[in-house]
Amino acid sequence: MLDSCKLKSACNLPFICNKKIINTAGTSNAEVPLADPGMYQLDITLRRGQSLAARDRGGTSDPYVKFKIGGKEVFRSKIIHKNLNPVWEEKACILVDHLREPLYIKVFDYDFGLQDDFMGSAFLDLTQLELNRPTDVTLTLKDPHYPDHDLGIILLSVILTPKEGESRDVTMLMRKSWKRSSKFQTQSLRLSDLHRKSHLWRGIVSITLIEGRDLKAMDSNGLSDPYVKFRLGHQKYKSKIMPKTLNPQWREQFDFHLYEERGGVIDITAWDKDAGKRDDFIGRCQVDLSALSREQTHKLELQLEEGEGHLVLLVTLTASATVSISDLSVNSLEDQKEREEILKRYSPLRIFHNLKDVGFLQVKVIRAEGLMAADVTGKSDPFCVVELNNDRLLTHTVYKNLNPEWNKVFTFNIKDIHSVLEVTVYDEDRDRSADFLGKVAIPLLSIQNGEQKAYVLKNKQLTGPTKGVIYLEIDVIFNAVKASLRTLIPKEQKYIEEENRLSKQLLLRNFIRMKRCVMVLVNAAYYVNSCFDWDSPPRSLAAFVVVEDMLEDEEEEDDKDDKDSEKKGFINKIYAIQEVCVSVQNILDEVASFGERIKNTFNWTVPFLSWLAIVALCVFTAILYCIPLRYIVLVWGINKFTKKLRSPYAIDNNELLDFLSRVPSDVQVVQFCLESCLTCLHFEICDVNIS
C-alpha cells in the first residue's frame, strides 16, 4: 500500500501538456465520459530526477518536488541535498475531482532563510492515462520565461483508477509545514471499516540532544553561538542557542511521531546564530531510524558533514501512544470492557508502570453553530483542529456550512495533566492558507467528565470572543500519583511555535505586570521596616528572635561580559536594538509570570497544585522531624554532586521551578477563566479583571 494519501479538492486550470509516456500500450481514457467529482484516485511514485539545473554556488542544488492540482498543493517531497540526480522513491495518493485538470509538477532548490529557487515545471495530462494500468512517465522540465533552457527531467510511475461510490468523508492529520509562511501541510487518512479505531502514528522517537564537541568557529572571536535543527518528515524542532562556545551543552529532550513502519531519516543541521544577518551553516548529519532497534536507548556520536565537530544524541524508539480517530458511534468509554481496561491501566496499583503514561483523554467534537462567514458567498468550509501539546489531529471539512456537524471522537495519551487542550476552527480555502475562525483552550484539570458543553470561540490570543460556539464532550482519566511525579520534571516544550515579536502593547503589559510584582516586594520591605520601628512590639520581638541567628554578610560580584569589538552597520544595529527589545519584553514576561505563579499557588488557582504543595510540605516536615537537618543536607549534597557520575546524560532540572511552570500566570488565568466561565451551556457570568 501507499505510504501516504494526499486528498485535495480541485478547481479548473488552463490545460498545458509537456510529457512523454514511455509505456503507451492500450488506449487512453481521453474519450471516456468523465465521472462525477471524487471518482478517480491517482497513485503516483516519484522516482528520480536527472540532469537537474544547478542553483547553488557550488554547482549543485537541494531539490524537492511539489505536486499541484487546481492551484492547490497536494504533495511535497523530501529535500535531497547537493544532488543534481536525486532519487526520491516517494509515493502519494491523490483523489481527483476532474480528469480535465492536469497535474502540475514544480521543482525547487531549497535555500534556508531565503526564497527557494525555481528549477523547472511540467504538466501531466490525466486524460491521456489508461485506467487501471501502471504507466511510467518522463517529464521534461521547462521554465516559461526561458523555454530554451535544458532543466533536466523527472521520472514518475502513475496509476489512475476509478473510485465510484466511495465516501468522501475524510479524517486528516495535520502537521505544520516547513514553509516559512503560515500554510499547512496536511496528510489525509481514511477511516477503515475494518478497524474501529485508526492509530495515526506507529511509534514515538524520543531524542535527547546532549552536547556538541569541537564545532567550527564561525565568529571573528574564534567562537560560535550554535543551535541545532532537527527534521523528520514535516516535523521539526529547534534547540536553544548556546552563546560563545564550541563545546555546547544542550541537554534537551523532545519527541517526534513515527509514521513509517520502516522508520525514516532524521535530518540534523547545526547553525551559528548571527543577529541581523543570515545564520552561518556549521554542518549536517543524519540518523537512519531503520537501523535502530526498538525499545532501547542508543547513544550516537555523529560526525558533522560539510563542517567540523560532533553531536552527541540519545535516541529511543518506542511503541505507538494511545492516539486515534473514530466516528461518534465508536466510543471507547461507552464500551464497558474498554472502559474497565482504561481504568485499570491508570489505577493507583500501577503507579510505577510507565511513568510517562499519565492518563487518557477522549474528546468528542460534535458540532459548531453560528460560525463566521469567511467566503464571499456568505458561507465557510470549516474543519476543526484538536491539539494536545505536540499531538495534532483534524476533522474532515464540512463544505458551505456555518453550522457544521463533525461527530468525531479523538483519543490522546496524556503525558502531563497540566497540559491545555486547544481546539481551533479553520475555514478551508482552495488557493491560500486556511482562515482562522475561532479557538478555545481548556486546561485538562478543569474538565468535567461526560458533560457536553458549548464553548464560545475566541480570537487567536484568547483575549476576547469571536463569532460562534463549538460543542464538545471531554473525558479525562489519569493517575494522580503519576501526574504529581511528572509535575516535578521539565515541562514538554511545543516545537511548533511562532517566535516572539516586538509589540508595544505586549511590552507595556509586561511592564505593568512587572511593576505589580515589584510593588509586592516594596510592600514586604515596608512591612519588615515596620518591625524595626516597633510599630507592633510583639511582632518586632518575634522578628528580632528569628532574624538574629540568620544574618550573614554576603558579597556580590558583578560579572561583565566581554563586549564585541566588531563594527556593525546601521541595519545590523537596528536588528540588534530590535532583538534587545524583544529580549527585554520576554524577560519582563518571565519575571512577572514567576511572581504571579507564586501568588497563584497560594491563591488556590489550581487546587491540584496547591494540594500537591501542601502534601509535599507535610512530607518534608515529617522527614525534618524524624531526621536531623544536617543529614538531609548531606544526602542532598551527595545526590547533587554524584548525579553526573551516576547518569552522565541526565537533563538538569530544578523541581521547584518545574512545579511553578505548571502554575498559570495571571495572563493564562484570564484566558482560561474566561474560557470556563463563558463557555458552559448555562453561560454563567464571571467577573474577571482583564486589565
Side-chain angles (χ1 to χ4, degrees):
M1 294 296 293
L2 296 174
D3 292 18
S4 62
C5 185
K6 308 284 182 176
L7 286 84
K8 296 282 183 176
S9 301
C11 52
N12 293 330
L13 259 180
F15 169 73
I16 304 175
C17 181
N18 181 18
K19 73 176 187 68
K20 173 184 176 184
I21 301 180
I22 300 176
N23 290 342
T24 57
T27 60
S28 73
N29 66 340
E31 313 225 343
V32 177
L34 296 177
D36 293 331
M39 303 303 290
Y40 288 97
Q41 179 176 309
L42 181 64
D43 298 330
I44 307 176
T45 302
L46 173 61
R47 298 293 185 189
R48 62 186 185 275
Q50 292 181 359
S51 305
L52 300 185
R55 294 295 188 234
D56 295 338
R57 286 178 293 182
T60 62
S61 293
D62 304 315
Y64 67 92
V65 180
K66 291 182 182 180
F67 293 163
K68 287 189 174 183
I69 288 184
K72 194 165 188 179
E73 183 178 321
V74 294
F75 174 79
R76 174 185 283 208
S77 74
K78 63 184 178 184
I79 300 169
I80 305 296
H81 293 283
K82 298 190 179 300
N83 200 326
L84 299 182
N85 298 285
V87 177
W88 284 284
E89 292 296 336
E90 293 188 52
K91 297 180 180 180
C93 168
I94 304 170
L95 193 65
V96 180
D97 285 355
H98 308 282
L99 293 185
R100 302 184 187 92
E101 299 168 357
L103 178 69
Y104 187 27
I105 295 96
K106 300 180 75 173
V107 184
F108 290 90
D109 167 54
Y110 175 75
D111 285 329
F112 177 82
L114 301 174
Q115 183 176 357
D116 296 344
D117 297 322
F118 178 70
M119 296 178 63
S121 63
F123 287 93
L124 175 60
D125 182 7
L126 302 183
T127 63
Q128 299 300 315
L129 298 178
E130 183 180 357
L131 296 179
N132 298 313
R133 183 182 181 89
T135 305
D136 293 332
V137 178
T138 301
L139 299 173
T140 302
L141 298 175
K142 294 293 183 182
D143 187 340
H145 300 290
Y146 305 97
D148 297 333
H149 288 190
D150 183 10
L151 301 179
I153 59 175
I154 293 290
L155 285 80
L156 311 172
S157 294
V158 297
I159 305 175
L160 185 66
T161 55
K163 305 296 288 183
E164 295 185 7
E166 192 164 292
S167 171
R168 298 185 64 186
D169 180 24
V170 177
T171 303
M172 296 187 291
L173 166 69
M174 183 188 79
R175 294 170 295 175
K176 290 293 181 79
S177 166
W178 272 73
K179 291 184 283 186
R180 283 162 296 282
S181 69
S182 61
K183 288 189 177 181
F184 299 122
Q185 279 289 348
T186 59
Q187 180 184 16
S188 304
L189 192 68
R190 282 196 175 278
L191 289 172
S192 173
D193 295 333
L194 301 177
H195 302 284
R196 299 181 64 193
K197 287 190 291 186
S198 172
H199 287 275
L200 301 178
W201 42 83
R202 301 177 184 273
I204 300 294
V205 185
S206 180
I207 303 171
T208 303
L209 173 61
I210 302 297
E211 62 185 2
R213 298 175 183 169
D214 303 322
L215 300 185
K216 187 176 181 180
M218 306 303 295
D219 296 337
S220 59
N221 57 7
L223 299 172
S224 292
D225 305 311
Y227 65 92
V228 180
K229 286 186 174 182
F230 295 81
R231 177 182 177 183
L232 177 60
H234 292 280
Q235 304 171 88
K236 63 178 182 177
Y237 177 82
K238 178 181 175 182
S239 76
K240 60 188 176 185
I241 300 169
M242 304 301 293
K244 299 182 180 179
T245 179
L246 300 180
N247 298 282
Q249 297 284 326
W250 282 287
R251 306 297 171 103
E252 296 184 45
Q253 192 276 329
F254 59 95
D255 295 335
F256 279 154
H257 295 142
L258 188 61
Y259 295 91
E260 301 180 17
E261 186 69 36
R262 60 180 181 273
V265 176
I266 301 177
D267 294 313
I268 305 171
T269 53
W271 301 85
D272 167 57
K273 178 65 177 178
D274 284 329
K277 56 183 179 180
R278 181 177 178 180
D279 295 346
D280 297 322
F281 176 75
I282 296 178
R284 67 162 46 92
C285 56
Q286 290 184 331
V287 176
D288 186 359
L289 298 178
S290 62
L292 304 180
S293 56
R294 301 293 179 101
E295 309 298 337
Q296 181 180 349
T297 300
H298 304 268
K299 178 187 174 184
L300 306 178
E301 296 187 13
L302 306 174
Q303 171 71 44
L304 290 177
E305 301 175 1
E306 307 171 34
E308 300 175 5
H310 296 77
L311 294 179
V312 180
L313 312 175
L314 298 181
V315 181
T316 307
L317 277 65
T318 57
S320 176
T322 309
V323 181
S324 66
I325 302 177
S326 62
D327 292 316
L328 196 59
S329 58
V330 182
N331 185 345
S332 298
L333 296 180
E334 289 181 0
D335 187 326
Q336 188 61 31
K337 185 177 180 180
E338 286 196 45
R339 185 181 183 90
E340 289 177 357
E341 290 180 356
I342 293 172
L343 290 172
K344 182 180 178 181
R345 190 192 313 163
Y346 302 108
S347 68
L349 299 178
R350 296 172 64 88
I351 295 174
F352 299 105
H353 179 75
N354 191 4
L355 289 175
K356 290 186 177 181
D357 187 11
V358 170
F360 173 86
L361 172 66
Q362 177 178 281
V363 183
K364 293 182 183 178
V365 181
I366 301 168
R367 67 185 188 277
E369 293 180 354
L371 296 181
M372 185 188 307
D375 299 337
V376 293
T377 59
K379 299 288 184 180
S380 292
D381 303 321
F383 65 95
C384 192
V385 181
V386 184
E387 302 179 69
L388 183 68
N389 293 331
N390 291 309
D391 296 341
R392 293 169 177 81
L393 304 175
L394 270 77
T395 67
H396 59 281
T397 301
V398 179
Y399 292 96
K400 300 188 181 304
N401 201 323
L402 299 181
N403 302 289
E405 292 190 9
W406 292 289
N407 293 323
K408 293 296 178 186
V409 180
F410 301 88
T411 64
F412 294 89
N413 176 263
I414 299 175
K415 293 180 277 187
D416 188 347
I417 195 59
H418 309 289
S419 301
V420 177
L421 176 69
E422 297 181 1
V423 182
T424 311
V425 182
Y426 291 94
D427 168 65
E428 180 184 314
D429 277 329
R430 293 178 180 271
D431 301 322
R432 59 180 186 273
S433 60
D435 294 326
F436 176 86
L437 296 180
K439 179 179 181 179
V440 296
I442 309 164
L444 297 186
L445 285 172
S446 69
I447 291 171
Q448 297 177 353
N449 287 350
E451 293 188 9
Q452 184 182 135
K453 292 187 177 182
Y455 292 85
V456 173
L457 293 174
K458 304 175 73 175
N459 57 26
K460 289 182 179 180
Q461 293 76 29
L462 298 173
T463 55
T466 184
K467 192 174 181 181
V469 296
I470 185 169
Y471 288 80
L472 306 173
E473 183 179 328
I474 312 173
D475 289 272
V476 176
I477 297 174
F478 68 97
N479 185 300
V481 178
K482 286 185 180 180
S484 301
L485 294 176
R486 289 285 292 176
T487 304
L488 303 179
I489 66 175
K491 187 177 180 180
E492 180 182 7
Q493 299 296 322
K494 296 185 72 171
Y495 50 77
I496 302 178
E497 283 187 322
E498 295 182 1
E499 294 185 358
N500 292 324
R501 296 181 179 179
L502 182 61
S503 167
K504 179 181 177 181
Q505 182 179 4
L506 186 59
L507 184 62
L508 180 60
R509 187 185 71 181
N510 291 343
F511 177 78
I512 294 173
R513 292 169 59 203
M514 181 66 183
K515 180 181 177 181
R516 290 174 181 168
C517 294
V518 171
M519 289 306 298
V520 170
L521 297 178
V522 170
N523 292 333
Y526 282 136
Y527 182 85
V528 172
N529 188 60
S530 69
C531 294
F532 293 104
D533 293 338
W534 291 83
D535 295 337
S536 172
R539 185 178 66 197
S540 298
L541 182 62
F544 177 76
V545 173
V546 171
V547 174
E548 185 179 22
D549 295 329
M550 298 180 59
L551 292 178
E552 293 181 357
D553 292 329
E554 296 183 357
E555 296 182 358
E556 295 183 357
E557 296 181 358
D558 294 329
D559 296 329
K560 295 183 178 179
D561 294 331
D562 294 331
K563 294 184 178 179
D564 218 345
S565 58
E566 296 182 21
K567 292 185 178 180
K568 298 181 179 180
F570 179 75
I571 298 299
N572 288 352
K573 288 183 179 180
I574 294 296
Y575 278 111
I577 293 172
Q578 184 175 353
E579 284 202 357
V580 169
C581 292
V582 171
S583 298
V584 171
Q585 173 180 290
N586 295 338
I587 290 172
L588 288 174
D589 177 59
E590 291 177 6
V591 175
S593 297
F594 182 79
E596 292 165 356
R597 288 187 169 110
I598 295 175
K599 179 196 69 174
N600 291 335
T601 301
F602 292 98
N603 285 350
W604 290 76
T605 302
V606 181
F608 180 90
L609 290 172
S610 298
W611 276 117
L612 180 60
I614 289 176
V615 170
L617 289 174
C618 291
V619 171
F620 181 74
T621 301
I623 294 175
L624 194 61
Y625 179 79
C626 300
I627 304 174
L629 179 60
R630 59 180 179 273
Y631 294 130
I632 297 176
V633 174
L634 180 63
V635 171
W636 175 82
I638 292 174
N639 175 65
K640 283 294 184 182
F641 280 105
T642 61
K643 188 175 181 179
K644 292 298 181 183
L645 298 177
R646 291 182 284 108
S647 183
Y649 302 115
I651 297 177
D652 296 328
N653 72 301
N654 183 296
E655 289 78 5
L656 180 59
L657 294 180
D658 291 333
F659 171 85
L660 288 175
S661 69
R662 266 66 171 202
V663 182
S665 65
D666 283 355
V667 173
Q668 294 170 324
V669 167
V670 169
Q671 294 171 346
F672 303 149
C673 183
L674 282 178
E675 204 68 64
S676 61
C677 295
L678 295 178
T679 59
C680 66
L681 283 174
H682 303 290
F683 295 99
E684 297 175 358
I685 298 176
C686 175
D687 186 14
V688 180
N689 182 10
I690 310 181
S691 62

